[in-house]
Short mmCIF file of all heavy atoms in Angstrom, two decimals:
data_model
loop_
_atom_site.label_atom_id
_atom_site.label_comp_id
_atom_site.label_asym_id
_atom_site.label_seq_id
_atom_site.Cartn_x
_atom_site.Cartn_y
_atom_site.Cartn_z
N PRO W 94 -0.83 -19.78 -11.31
CA PRO W 94 -0.21 -21.10 -11.51
C PRO W 94 -1.06 -22.42 -11.38
O PRO W 94 -0.56 -23.43 -11.19
CB PRO W 94 0.84 -21.08 -10.36
CG PRO W 94 0.12 -20.50 -9.20
CD PRO W 94 -0.87 -19.30 -9.81
N ASN W 95 -2.46 -22.10 -11.42
CA ASN W 95 -3.28 -23.29 -11.02
C ASN W 95 -3.72 -24.04 -12.20
O ASN W 95 -4.85 -24.27 -12.57
CB ASN W 95 -4.61 -22.83 -10.29
CG ASN W 95 -5.46 -21.84 -11.15
OD1 ASN W 95 -4.99 -21.16 -11.98
ND2 ASN W 95 -6.86 -21.98 -10.83
N LEU W 96 -2.67 -24.56 -12.95
CA LEU W 96 -2.81 -25.44 -14.08
C LEU W 96 -2.87 -26.90 -13.45
O LEU W 96 -2.83 -27.02 -12.17
CB LEU W 96 -1.57 -25.53 -14.99
CG LEU W 96 -1.15 -24.07 -15.67
CD1 LEU W 96 0.01 -24.34 -16.43
CD2 LEU W 96 -2.16 -23.49 -16.36
N VAL W 97 -3.23 -27.83 -14.30
CA VAL W 97 -3.18 -29.31 -13.82
C VAL W 97 -2.08 -29.88 -14.64
O VAL W 97 -2.29 -30.11 -15.76
CB VAL W 97 -4.59 -30.00 -14.19
CG1 VAL W 97 -4.71 -31.27 -13.51
CG2 VAL W 97 -5.77 -29.14 -13.83
N PRO W 98 -1.13 -30.50 -14.01
CA PRO W 98 -0.76 -30.13 -12.66
C PRO W 98 -0.27 -28.66 -12.44
O PRO W 98 0.08 -28.12 -13.43
CB PRO W 98 0.45 -31.08 -12.42
CG PRO W 98 1.08 -31.34 -13.66
CD PRO W 98 -0.15 -31.20 -14.87
N PRO W 99 -0.21 -28.18 -11.27
CA PRO W 99 0.17 -26.81 -10.97
C PRO W 99 1.55 -26.43 -11.25
O PRO W 99 2.41 -27.27 -11.34
CB PRO W 99 -0.26 -26.55 -9.49
CG PRO W 99 -0.36 -27.87 -8.94
CD PRO W 99 -0.67 -28.86 -9.94
N VAL W 100 1.80 -25.15 -11.41
CA VAL W 100 3.18 -24.63 -11.63
C VAL W 100 3.86 -24.48 -10.27
O VAL W 100 3.51 -23.58 -9.45
CB VAL W 100 3.10 -23.22 -12.30
CG1 VAL W 100 4.48 -22.68 -12.42
CG2 VAL W 100 2.37 -23.36 -13.51
N VAL W 101 4.71 -25.51 -9.86
CA VAL W 101 5.11 -25.54 -8.43
C VAL W 101 6.55 -25.28 -8.34
O VAL W 101 6.98 -24.62 -7.41
CB VAL W 101 4.99 -27.09 -7.97
CG1 VAL W 101 5.50 -27.15 -6.59
CG2 VAL W 101 3.35 -27.29 -7.87
N THR W 102 7.42 -25.55 -9.41
CA THR W 102 8.82 -25.42 -9.19
C THR W 102 9.23 -24.25 -10.26
O THR W 102 8.50 -24.11 -11.20
CB THR W 102 9.63 -26.65 -9.53
OG1 THR W 102 9.38 -27.08 -10.93
CG2 THR W 102 9.26 -27.72 -8.54
N ALA W 103 10.51 -23.77 -9.96
CA ALA W 103 11.06 -22.91 -10.92
C ALA W 103 11.13 -23.44 -12.36
O ALA W 103 10.89 -22.73 -13.40
CB ALA W 103 12.48 -22.40 -10.55
N GLN W 104 11.39 -24.69 -12.42
CA GLN W 104 11.41 -25.32 -13.81
C GLN W 104 9.98 -25.33 -14.44
O GLN W 104 10.09 -25.12 -15.66
CB GLN W 104 11.82 -26.80 -13.52
CG GLN W 104 12.52 -27.41 -14.79
CD GLN W 104 12.96 -28.90 -14.43
OE1 GLN W 104 12.82 -29.34 -13.24
NE2 GLN W 104 13.29 -29.62 -15.48
N ASP W 105 8.86 -25.64 -13.61
CA ASP W 105 7.65 -25.60 -14.15
C ASP W 105 7.38 -24.25 -14.63
O ASP W 105 6.70 -24.01 -15.73
CB ASP W 105 6.51 -25.90 -13.08
CG ASP W 105 6.61 -27.25 -12.59
OD1 ASP W 105 7.21 -28.15 -13.16
OD2 ASP W 105 6.22 -27.49 -11.36
N ALA W 106 7.82 -23.09 -13.90
CA ALA W 106 7.41 -21.85 -14.32
C ALA W 106 8.15 -21.44 -15.61
O ALA W 106 7.56 -20.66 -16.43
CB ALA W 106 7.84 -20.83 -13.25
N SER W 107 9.34 -21.76 -15.69
CA SER W 107 10.13 -21.53 -16.86
C SER W 107 9.51 -22.17 -18.18
O SER W 107 9.39 -21.43 -19.20
CB SER W 107 11.67 -21.97 -16.68
OG SER W 107 12.24 -21.93 -17.87
N ALA W 108 9.14 -23.41 -17.99
CA ALA W 108 8.36 -24.11 -19.21
C ALA W 108 7.11 -23.29 -19.56
O ALA W 108 6.77 -23.21 -20.69
CB ALA W 108 8.19 -25.60 -18.80
N TYR W 109 6.26 -23.04 -18.52
CA TYR W 109 5.00 -22.33 -18.75
C TYR W 109 5.30 -20.99 -19.33
O TYR W 109 4.48 -20.68 -20.32
CB TYR W 109 4.29 -22.38 -17.43
CG TYR W 109 2.90 -21.67 -17.61
CD1 TYR W 109 2.04 -21.96 -18.69
CD2 TYR W 109 2.31 -21.01 -16.57
CE1 TYR W 109 0.68 -21.45 -18.80
CE2 TYR W 109 0.93 -20.61 -16.64
CZ TYR W 109 0.14 -20.82 -17.76
OH TYR W 109 -0.98 -20.28 -17.82
N ARG W 110 6.18 -20.30 -18.89
CA ARG W 110 6.54 -19.06 -19.35
C ARG W 110 6.84 -19.12 -21.01
O ARG W 110 6.34 -18.29 -21.61
CB ARG W 110 7.79 -18.34 -18.74
CG ARG W 110 7.92 -16.96 -19.15
CD ARG W 110 9.18 -16.41 -18.42
NE ARG W 110 9.09 -14.90 -18.69
CZ ARG W 110 9.53 -14.39 -19.86
NH1 ARG W 110 9.74 -15.11 -20.81
NH2 ARG W 110 9.35 -13.10 -19.97
N GLN W 111 7.67 -20.20 -21.27
CA GLN W 111 7.99 -20.31 -22.66
C GLN W 111 6.68 -20.63 -23.47
O GLN W 111 6.62 -20.22 -24.67
CB GLN W 111 9.00 -21.34 -22.79
CG GLN W 111 9.56 -21.62 -24.15
CD GLN W 111 10.33 -20.29 -24.67
OE1 GLN W 111 11.14 -19.74 -23.86
NE2 GLN W 111 9.98 -19.66 -25.81
N ARG W 112 5.77 -21.47 -22.95
CA ARG W 112 4.47 -21.76 -23.66
C ARG W 112 3.73 -20.46 -23.92
O ARG W 112 3.06 -20.38 -25.02
CB ARG W 112 3.65 -22.85 -22.98
CG ARG W 112 4.42 -24.22 -22.73
CD ARG W 112 3.47 -25.37 -22.59
NE ARG W 112 2.75 -25.26 -21.35
CZ ARG W 112 3.33 -25.65 -20.19
NH1 ARG W 112 4.64 -25.97 -20.07
NH2 ARG W 112 2.65 -25.53 -19.08
N ILE W 113 3.77 -19.48 -22.88
CA ILE W 113 3.07 -18.23 -23.02
C ILE W 113 3.61 -17.52 -24.23
O ILE W 113 3.05 -17.03 -25.09
CB ILE W 113 2.88 -17.53 -21.71
CG1 ILE W 113 2.23 -18.38 -20.77
CG2 ILE W 113 2.37 -16.20 -22.04
CD1 ILE W 113 2.21 -17.77 -19.30
N VAL W 114 4.97 -17.39 -24.23
CA VAL W 114 5.71 -16.51 -25.17
C VAL W 114 5.53 -17.13 -26.53
O VAL W 114 5.26 -16.44 -27.55
CB VAL W 114 7.19 -16.48 -24.75
CG1 VAL W 114 8.03 -15.81 -25.90
CG2 VAL W 114 7.55 -15.70 -23.44
N ASP W 115 5.58 -18.33 -26.67
CA ASP W 115 5.22 -19.01 -27.98
C ASP W 115 3.88 -18.85 -28.39
O ASP W 115 3.65 -18.86 -29.73
CB ASP W 115 5.57 -20.59 -27.80
CG ASP W 115 7.06 -21.00 -27.58
OD1 ASP W 115 7.80 -20.00 -27.77
OD2 ASP W 115 7.36 -22.18 -27.17
N ALA W 116 2.83 -18.69 -27.53
CA ALA W 116 1.41 -18.48 -27.98
C ALA W 116 1.18 -17.12 -28.33
O ALA W 116 0.13 -16.81 -28.81
CB ALA W 116 0.60 -19.02 -26.88
N LEU W 117 2.12 -16.13 -28.06
CA LEU W 117 1.87 -14.70 -28.43
C LEU W 117 1.82 -14.48 -29.86
O LEU W 117 2.86 -14.82 -30.43
CB LEU W 117 2.90 -13.86 -27.52
CG LEU W 117 2.60 -12.55 -27.47
CD1 LEU W 117 1.34 -12.12 -26.52
CD2 LEU W 117 3.79 -11.75 -26.80
N PRO W 118 0.88 -13.96 -30.40
CA PRO W 118 0.90 -13.68 -31.92
C PRO W 118 2.13 -12.61 -32.25
O PRO W 118 2.25 -11.78 -31.30
CB PRO W 118 -0.41 -13.12 -32.07
CG PRO W 118 -1.35 -13.48 -31.05
CD PRO W 118 -0.45 -13.67 -29.85
N ASP W 119 2.63 -12.73 -33.31
CA ASP W 119 3.69 -11.85 -33.87
C ASP W 119 3.13 -10.34 -33.70
O ASP W 119 2.12 -10.09 -34.05
CB ASP W 119 4.00 -12.12 -35.36
CG ASP W 119 4.82 -13.37 -35.46
OD1 ASP W 119 5.36 -13.83 -34.40
OD2 ASP W 119 4.98 -13.80 -36.56
N GLY W 120 4.01 -9.58 -33.20
CA GLY W 120 3.65 -8.08 -33.24
C GLY W 120 2.96 -7.62 -31.96
O GLY W 120 2.76 -6.57 -31.72
N MET W 121 2.70 -8.59 -31.08
CA MET W 121 2.19 -8.12 -29.75
C MET W 121 3.26 -8.15 -28.64
O MET W 121 4.11 -9.01 -28.66
CB MET W 121 1.09 -9.14 -29.34
CG MET W 121 -0.30 -9.01 -30.00
SD MET W 121 -1.51 -9.89 -29.22
CE MET W 121 -2.88 -8.84 -29.51
N ASP W 122 3.20 -7.24 -27.93
CA ASP W 122 4.12 -7.06 -26.82
C ASP W 122 3.48 -7.24 -25.46
O ASP W 122 2.65 -6.64 -24.98
CB ASP W 122 4.69 -5.52 -27.00
CG ASP W 122 5.81 -5.30 -26.11
OD1 ASP W 122 6.42 -6.35 -25.57
OD2 ASP W 122 6.26 -4.07 -25.88
N PHE W 123 4.06 -8.28 -24.86
CA PHE W 123 3.34 -8.71 -23.53
C PHE W 123 4.38 -9.42 -22.73
O PHE W 123 5.03 -10.31 -23.14
CB PHE W 123 2.21 -9.54 -23.77
CG PHE W 123 1.48 -10.05 -22.55
CD1 PHE W 123 0.65 -9.22 -21.71
CD2 PHE W 123 1.59 -11.50 -22.19
CE1 PHE W 123 0.20 -9.73 -20.53
CE2 PHE W 123 1.11 -11.88 -21.03
CZ PHE W 123 0.30 -11.13 -20.17
#
Side-chain angles (χ1 to χ4, degrees):
N95 63 332
L96 305 181
V97 188
V100 178
V101 171
T102 63
Q104 202 181 353
D105 299 337
S107 171
Y109 185 32
R110 188 182 190 290
Q111 191 59 49
R112 296 199 295 283
I113 296 169
V114 169
D115 291 345
L117 193 66
D119 285 346
M121 279 189 149
D122 189 13
F123 174 76

